[in-house]
Amino acid sequence: MIDCQNILDNTYQKVLKMEHVGDVASYIPELSTVNPDQFGVCLITKNGEQFTCGDATVKFSIQSIAKVLSLSLVLSKIGDKLWERMDFEPSGTAFNSLVQLESENGIPRNPLINAGAIVMCDIICDLFDDPKTALLDYVREVSGIKDLQYATDIAASEQATGYRNYALANFIKSFENIHNTCNQVTDLYFHLCSIEMTCEQLAYTFGFLANQGKQIKTDMKVVKPAQAKRINAIMQTCGFYDEAGEFAFRVGLPGKSGVGGGMVAILPNAFSIAVWSPKLNKHGNSYRGMKFLEYFTDETQDTVF
Ligand code: GLN
């Protein structure tokens, strides 16, 4: 991409100069200790070229961004059978909402809201004898981070306060769409959400979605090309929960956010970009992350629209 570093640097400076509003997530106590002014960006092209700005090598909690990795794991193992357990429609509700599950008989709207990710964790518990180890090994392989560990302090913090997620698991189980115990499933879910990466690592990890399902550099076949297309479609329509329309409108790329303040966006067949800034808007998405990607895609016209 012509002048990519320059455009990234200018966009970064523009966002830095703006008013910095929002709040760091505090409903998971361990997340509230982060320095809110950190701000990193990394873009990796499908050819492996890398461009960074700011705190691109600082680790942070990727939280719900990891739901995309549970989705790629489950799709690669059971394919379209996943859709017997959940739908792929946008929810238009908050990430941790219970409201649609009652009228929709415990079938989550999509895999990227908490309800859907909890059902995917149930599927992973069915697929593996030691699901926590299997999931970690999988993320290690896709990301190339050989010594990746779960952040057990973050998992424990969420385990102590994750009332809505316990409610979701129990509610879904009452409709028999969870087969394992709620404790097994929420334990895996909290560990999935606890994974930490830097912007550099995150942009690289998601490179397979910009490369028809094959990891860049290693050529690992993470998912089939048609599955990569579907994951991108689900990120586009569901990755930002009740702000998915806003993200499409402002940024125009498939993307996924997390309450740690990270977000990833993909331009299929071109690049993966990770942005991190911990202060969140009222939908739980990074304030600066949204601004950065909006200005970046306005400037470059690197968008799917
Ligand atoms: N672990 C968080 C939760 O379940 C993930 C939410 C998010 O990142 N949006 O509440």
Side-chain angles (χ1 to χ4, degrees):
M1 194 190 308
I2 300 160
D3 236 5
C4 185
Q5 186 66 51
N6 224 345
I7 299 173
L8 287 174
D9 287 341
N10 291 343
T11 311
Y12 188 89
Q13 288 307 324
K14 183 169 165 183
V15 175
L16 258 190
K17 286 192 194 108
M18 291 174 46
E19 190 191 7
H20 187 199
V21 295
D23 294 301
V24 164
S26 56
Y27 76 100
I28 302 172
E30 197 61 30
L31 291 183
S32 67
T33 60
V34 69
N35 168 359
D37 293 320
Q38 295 174 100
F39 183 19
V41 180
C42 179
L43 182 150
I44 293 189
T45 68
K46 72 178 251 189
N47 304 322
E49 284 174 292
Q50 178 178 308
F51 306 91
T52 61
C53 299
D55 300 309
T57 55
V58 180
K59 268 204 298 196
F60 62 90
S61 182
I62 71 169
Q63 290 292 322
S64 283
I65 302 171
K67 289 171 183 165
V68 179
L69 300 172
S70 52
L71 175 59
S72 62
L73 171 59
V74 169
L75 275 182
S76 68
K77 289 283 174 201
I78 68 167
D80 286 343
K81 275 193 169 322
L82 174 61
W83 311 120
E84 293 167 11
R85 305 279 302 271
M86 69 184 67
D87 209 340
F88 41 77
E89 289 294 337
S91 65
T93 54
F95 60 89
N96 55 8
S97 175
L98 286 98
V99 75
Q100 286 155 339
L101 285 170
E102 170 82 328
S103 54
E104 296 176 3
N105 301 316
I107 300 291
R109 272 287 171 105
N110 67 67
L112 300 184
I113 49 173
N114 290 18
I118 287 169
V119 170
M120 286 196 294
C121 284
D122 184 57
I123 295 170
I124 296 169
C125 286
D126 276 341
L127 284 170
F128 300 98
D129 293 338
D130 181 352
K132 261 198 287 193
T133 304
L135 179 64
L136 186 61
D137 284 347
Y138 174 76
V139 180
R140 282 179 176 163
E141 206 187 339
V142 177
S143 67
I145 311 168
K146 294 197 175 59
D147 59 354
L148 185 77
Q149 300 288 349
Y150 291 119
T152 47
D153 47 347
I154 294 176
S157 183
E158 202 171 350
Q159 218 133 22
T161 55
Y163 310 112
R164 293 191 72 94
N165 290 318
Y166 293 121
L168 282 165
N170 282 283
F171 198 38
I172 298 169
K173 194 166 173 71
S174 78
F175 292 100
E176 298 177 2
N177 196 16
I178 280 188
H179 306 158
N180 297 276
T181 69
C182 289
N183 275 345
Q184 284 169 312
V185 173
T186 50
D187 184 49
L188 183 62
Y189 174 78
F190 294 138
H191 281 81
L192 169 72
C193 292
S194 81
I195 292 170
E196 295 177 314
M197 287 189 194
T198 68
C199 285
E200 277 186 0
Q201 292 169 333
L202 194 56
Y204 176 75
T205 303
F206 276 66
F208 70 96
L209 293 172
N211 194 35
Q212 302 194 10
K214 240 201 277 172
Q215 192 50 290
I216 52 182
K217 295 183 188 166
T218 62
D219 270 358
M220 174 191 175
K221 272 196 175 168
V222 183
V223 287
K224 295 179 183 144
Q227 291 171 329
K229 179 187 85 174
R230 291 187 175 134
I231 295 172
N232 282 326
I234 293 169
M235 290 206 295
Q236 182 74 70
T237 52
C238 312
F240 283 70
Y241 324 112
D242 46 341
E243 209 174 29
E246 179 106 7
F247 191 75
F249 182 82
R250 297 195 180 286
V251 177
L253 293 174
K256 183 74 203 87
S257 62
V259 290
M263 58 179 70
V264 177
I266 306 295
L267 182 60
N269 291 313
F271 63 75
S272 147
I273 182 167
V275 185
W276 169 57
S277 165
K279 282 195 188 180
L280 309 178
N281 66 19
K282 63 175 190 306
H283 301 281
N285 300 319
S286 171
Y287 176 79
R288 277 182 164 166
M290 289 282 279
K291 292 275 179 231
F292 183 92
L293 289 175
E294 176 179 0
Y295 297 153
F296 180 72
T297 52
D298 274 354
E299 181 66 28
T300 56
Q301 285 301 305
D302 282 333
T303 148
V304 295
F305 299 111

